[in-house]
Amino acid sequence: MYKHIKPLTSLRGIAALIVVTLHFSYYALPKAGSTLSSYSDFFKNGYLWVDFFFILSGFIMTHVYAEDFYSKVSLDNYRSYLFSRFARIYPLHIFILSLFIGLEIVKTLLINTSAFAGKFNLTALFANIFLLQAFDLNCPPLFWCNTYWNEPAWSISVEFVIYCIFPFLLFFLLRSSEKNDLMIYISTLFSILLLITFTRGNLDNIIGIPSIARCGLECVLGIITYKVYRRGNYKKYFNLNLLAFIAITWIILIMHYYWHNYYWRSLHDWLILPAFSLLILAVSVNNNSVTSKILNSRLMLYLGTISYSIYMVHWFFQELLKLFWLYKFHEAFGKTFTNHQALTSLGVFLMIVLLAASLTYRFVEVPARNYLKSTILGKQCI
């Protein structure tokens, strides 16, 4: 039985809230985004926390499954693992997708627009149902996609692809030596830099088929980071509190600035990845630091617990809010808002999302996951 690393759960919640703030402030209500950016571009760079998710996913899955796949990848273990991952992500995904279908029907009834058109077309719906959002071959030229109903769900499509190969990655990477781990980490980082530079010039726009490489490479970073954590050698030479301070400062400095130059922005996005690894390492070992106490608080742990629901539900509420506003006031949401009203709207939206996520976690995500695991795998989800 693996030991739960609580601070990482809390970090997941923080990452989810940063992504939600990005999406609402710069997509649903740009005035809120421009107001935030007048102080800092921290939330404008919030897309980078999806990459934190990918690195963290590699770390945590290694923590959970290292013993299962260290010796071999058996058919029984692989099947049990893959279905467990499917039960973790799919029920909530399909539930939110059903809400979007309902929203398309409401659009037709309320504002007399064509349903199931544009990016909400039936082909895209089919892709979403089967987690194939990342495989739209019409993306020009395979670097951009319009197959997402629930926009954030693109990431679970690519994650499931990586889930399929993860046990084999684990089987080979767990056997590498400490010296080879360093070489693998550096070469993986360099590969990500090449991916950024020769596709869209930033991590934000690497979706579609190239995002499979984005997720897979960052998952490898997570695996190697976990091996460093398990060895524990770094604790002999570095103070964990100092490591956490360096990582947090590094991340804040990168996210505070938004580099517009194409080539510099590639470097900007890439430079934050080692900081994410460092942050994960620094907080994975419990200590009496202020950072650990905050991350181990009940509130932070709860935010992390419902983080997947936070991540998955918020885009639906954005779309619902924009539709309601158009129907009620016959104008785009927030068009006439003042800066103060825009920031207040952001606060209210975050509270709505947290409430909705609490409900979907309790009544959809957990019950559906437990049901699938208990009926098909013959065991309850722990």
Side-chain angles (χ1 to χ4, degrees):
M1 177 61 67
Y2 63 90
K3 182 181 178 181
H4 184 206
I5 306 175
K6 292 181 178 180
L8 298 184
T9 298
S10 299
L11 285 180
R12 237 181 15 233
I14 294 171
L17 287 178
I18 292 173
V19 172
V20 172
T21 302
L22 162 72
H23 287 164
F24 182 82
S25 302
Y26 293 90
Y27 293 86
L29 186 56
K31 183 164 286 188
S34 62
T35 304
L36 290 173
S37 289
S38 66
Y39 300 99
S40 171
D41 283 321
F42 184 92
F43 290 106
K44 190 174 184 178
N45 288 312
Y47 61 86
L48 293 169
W49 287 84
V50 175
D51 300 279
F52 173 80
F53 278 132
F54 290 155
I55 296 173
L56 183 63
S57 182
F59 184 97
I60 291 177
M61 288 203 301
T62 306
H63 181 61
V64 175
Y65 293 107
E67 292 184 7
D68 292 339
F69 299 117
Y70 180 81
S71 301
K72 63 178 181 178
V73 181
S74 68
L75 180 60
D76 287 342
N77 272 4
Y78 181 78
R79 183 169 51 199
S80 176
Y81 148 82
L82 196 58
F83 189 82
S84 178
R85 303 317 303 167
F86 177 82
R88 171 76 175 87
I89 66 172
Y90 193 75
L92 183 60
H93 166 64
I94 206 69
F95 173 76
I96 300 299
L97 196 57
S98 69
L99 295 182
F100 272 97
I101 293 172
L103 195 59
E104 283 300 290
I105 296 171
V106 170
K107 283 181 185 179
T108 305
L109 298 176
L110 290 184
I111 58 178
N112 196 28
T113 59
S114 299
F116 305 102
K119 78 170 194 173
F120 296 103
N121 61 77
L122 292 176
T123 301
L125 177 60
F126 174 87
N128 277 263
I129 291 173
F130 291 97
L131 291 177
L132 298 174
Q133 304 97 298
F135 292 92
D136 181 12
L137 298 181
N138 294 317
C139 299
L142 303 183
F143 294 158
W144 192 266
C145 288
N146 199 26
T147 58
Y148 313 122
W149 278 52
N150 185 18
E151 195 85 8
W154 71 267
S155 64
I156 66 169
S157 173
V158 298
E159 276 195 283
F160 195 73
V161 175
I162 301 305
Y163 287 163
C164 292
I165 66 172
F166 177 79
F168 305 99
L169 280 175
L170 208 55
F171 178 76
F172 289 106
L173 290 177
L174 286 177
R175 283 162 172 69
S176 66
S177 65
E178 188 171 349
K179 182 179 178 180
N180 286 339
D181 283 345
L182 178 61
M183 294 303 299
I184 291 169
Y185 192 92
I186 292 172
S187 61
T188 302
L189 269 180
F190 183 70
S191 298
I192 296 172
L193 181 59
L194 293 178
L195 177 69
I196 300 170
T197 303
F198 292 104
T199 54
R200 302 293 298 187
N202 59 81
L203 284 168
D204 188 23
N205 290 332
I206 300 181
I207 54 178
I209 289 178
S211 65
I212 298 172
R214 173 186 177 185
C215 178
L217 290 169
E218 289 170 355
C219 183
V220 170
L221 296 183
I223 294 173
I224 302 301
T225 302
Y226 180 79
K227 292 186 69 178
V228 175
Y229 161 76
R230 281 299 298 267
R231 290 189 184 109
N233 296 341
Y234 64 98
K235 290 183 287 185
K236 299 177 182 177
Y237 309 105
F238 299 101
N239 181 283
L240 293 177
N241 296 332
L242 179 60
L243 278 184
F245 175 78
I246 292 172
I248 292 169
T249 303
W250 184 347
I251 291 167
I252 290 174
L253 286 175
I254 290 291
M255 294 194 63
H256 178 66
Y257 299 101
Y258 189 90
W259 300 355
H260 292 277
N261 179 277
Y262 182 90
Y263 295 104
W264 283 112
R265 192 174 167 202
S266 298
L267 186 62
H268 167 273
D269 288 6
W270 178 74
L271 281 172
I272 204 170
L273 302 178
F276 285 150
S277 288
L278 195 62
L279 178 63
I280 291 168
L281 272 180
V283 304
S284 292
V285 179
N286 282 323
N287 54 66
N288 294 320
S289 68
V290 175
T291 302
S292 291
K293 289 178 180 178
I294 293 172
L295 293 177
N296 283 318
S297 67
R298 292 181 63 182
L299 174 61
M300 296 302 296
L301 288 171
Y302 183 70
L303 287 177
T305 300
I306 65 170
S307 59
Y308 181 56
S309 280
I310 292 172
Y311 184 71
M312 291 296 287
V313 305
H314 77 274
W315 197 270
F316 169 77
F317 281 96
Q318 281 186 196
E319 294 295 321
L320 180 62
L321 179 59
K322 290 191 292 184
L323 176 63
F324 167 79
W325 204 268
L326 182 62
Y327 173 72
K328 185 71 176 177
F329 301 104
H330 307 289
E331 65 178 24
F333 171 63
K335 183 179 180 180
T336 59
F337 281 12
T338 65
N339 291 344
H340 176 74
Q341 288 171 328
L343 292 180
T344 301
S345 298
L346 170 61
V348 172
F349 181 76
L350 288 174
M351 288 189 287
I352 292 171
V353 168
L354 288 173
L355 175 60
S358 297
L359 294 174
T360 55
Y361 174 78
R362 180 175 179 181
F363 296 109
V364 179
E365 184 182 345
V366 172
R369 183 172 70 221
N370 288 348
Y371 174 77
L372 287 176
K373 287 192 173 184
S374 63
T375 55
I376 298 180
L377 292 181
K379 57 183 180 181
Q380 286 285 1
C381 176
I382 298 176

